[in-house]
Amino acid sequence: MLDVRRMQVLRAVITSGSITAAARNLGYTPSAISQQLSALEREAGTELLERVGRGVRATPAGSLLSEHAETLSTELARAEAALTELKEGRIGRVSIRYFATAGASLVPPAIAAVRREHPGVHLDLKLVEPDDPMAAVEAGHADVAITVYPRRTPPAKGVELVHLLDDPYRAVLPKTHPLARKRVLDLTEFAEEPWVGVDGMPGICRDILDSACASAGFTPNIVVESEDYQTAQGFVAAGIGVGLIPELGLGAQHPGVVVRRIRNPEPVRAIHAAVASRSASHPAVRTLLAAMRAASVKVA
């Protein structure tokens, strides 16, 4: 295997015309230069220089390696520059996975901040629903995921959780419902009501609602299931049942429903950014997280 640095020394000697001149230019002793050249000739298995008077000139093999040394030096310089840009967050790729309700309020301002501060970074965005976006980070397929936590199993090794905000659930009921006149409802007041099931993230969010209802001493009577929050509001407005929807999921409120605070207990889903440890120090990822935290404060 040819040593690239020794090839660069060879090129310096050929360009300078002598070992002494090359040693002076490179800041080495002539003896050190000679040792490097001898080692390179052993690696090449042939003579690379021949003496001409007080100087040296390249053999055909020496000229060949000198040309390649120039090419390698150029590529190495490009690689070093690219590495510096990557470490400083000026280039690279950041992959982000999220669920719909977080995407609407947290992701857009964060993406805008990254594009503004790190225009050379490619952003790979993907909506993951109904599955948990954190799985993509755990599998090494994404750098950042917006997720709800806690979940049934702890995050895998190499995944860091950054809390963004607490997203409380709100009671949603038809405008004509007898409870609509109240500003705050106890969860137990829904115990005998038919429910519209909402399950933006199967497993995690359903666990939150089931746990809250269990704490209030009942199991919800779900008469119809909805796959998204806007459709759920439509079912509620039609008088099919009542439901609980997180604040981030309310979006444009349906004209046929009212939204009320719930208590005793108030279900809350904690929204986190799951960050791959290998990516946590990337400047673009730090900018992304800072912008999402800022957006979370505005939402809250």
Side-chain angles (χ1 to χ4, degrees):
M1 179 70 71
L2 296 173
D3 186 283
V4 175
R5 292 187 178 182
R6 289 170 182 159
M7 290 174 62
Q8 292 173 333
V9 169
L10 171 67
R11 179 168 173 260
V13 170
I14 293 173
T15 303
S16 302
S18 72
I19 291 176
T20 300
R24 183 171 57 251
N25 294 337
L26 296 176
Y28 295 144
T29 65
S31 175
I33 294 294
S34 296
Q35 290 175 10
Q36 293 289 320
L37 293 173
S38 296
L40 183 61
E41 286 185 333
R42 288 195 297 272
E43 292 169 353
T46 186
E47 291 186 353
L48 303 176
L49 296 170
E50 57 185 9
R51 292 195 172 277
V52 179
R54 296 184 178 181
V56 294
R57 67 182 178 191
T59 65
S63 295
L64 177 68
L65 288 189
S66 179
E67 292 172 3
H68 282 285
E70 182 177 4
T71 300
L72 288 172
S73 295
T74 300
E75 292 302 318
L76 284 173
R78 288 177 179 173
E80 290 174 350
L83 182 60
T84 298
E85 289 188 328
L86 179 64
K87 290 190 294 185
E88 293 179 356
R90 296 199 297 270
I91 63 171
R93 179 187 182 92
V94 176
S95 53
I96 304 148
R97 303 293 179 261
Y98 61 96
F99 60 95
T101 52
S105 55
L106 302 181
V107 175
I111 296 306
V114 173
R115 287 176 62 84
R116 182 174 60 252
E117 298 184 28
H118 310 278
V121 174
H122 175 74
L123 296 173
D124 172 22
L125 293 168
K126 186 176 181 181
L127 173 65
V128 178
E129 210 161 20
D131 297 326
D132 183 1
M134 190 193 294
V137 177
E138 292 178 318
H141 300 151
D143 300 296
V144 180
I146 312 305
T147 188
V148 174
Y149 199 81
R151 59 179 191 170
R152 294 171 184 173
T153 57
K157 184 179 180 181
V159 177
E160 303 173 12
L161 290 175
V162 177
H163 180 262
L164 297 176
L165 80 158
D166 290 330
D167 187 21
Y169 281 77
R170 298 299 184 221
V172 181
L173 57 161
K175 277 190 172 180
T176 56
H177 196 285
L179 293 173
R181 67 181 186 275
K182 302 181 70 172
R183 292 296 178 185
V184 182
L185 300 174
D186 288 322
L187 186 55
T188 53
E189 295 182 85
F190 277 8
E192 303 300 324
E193 297 284 341
W195 279 57
V196 174
V198 291
D199 209 6
M201 291 180 65
I204 303 173
C205 292
R206 178 57 61 86
D207 287 349
I208 293 171
L209 292 180
D210 287 348
S211 177
C213 291
S215 297
F218 71 95
T219 299
N221 174 28
I222 297 176
V223 296
V224 63
E225 290 276 8
S226 173
E227 294 185 357
D228 66 87
Y229 297 131
Q230 286 302 117
T231 302
Q233 289 192 54
F235 286 140
V236 172
I240 295 174
V242 299
L244 297 186
I245 295 178
E247 277 195 338
L248 286 183
L250 286 170
Q253 185 176 323
H254 193 288
V257 305
V258 295
V259 177
R260 299 290 184 257
R261 286 185 54 200
I262 199 81
R263 64 185 179 187
N264 298 325
E266 178 188 55
V268 175
R269 61 178 191 175
I271 297 179
H272 291 72
V275 185
S277 298
R278 68 180 188 282
S279 307
S281 62
H282 193 292
V285 171
R286 293 200 299 267
T287 297
L288 182 82
L289 294 176
M292 284 196 291
R293 283 193 290 265
S296 299
V297 171
K298 294 180 181 178
V299 170

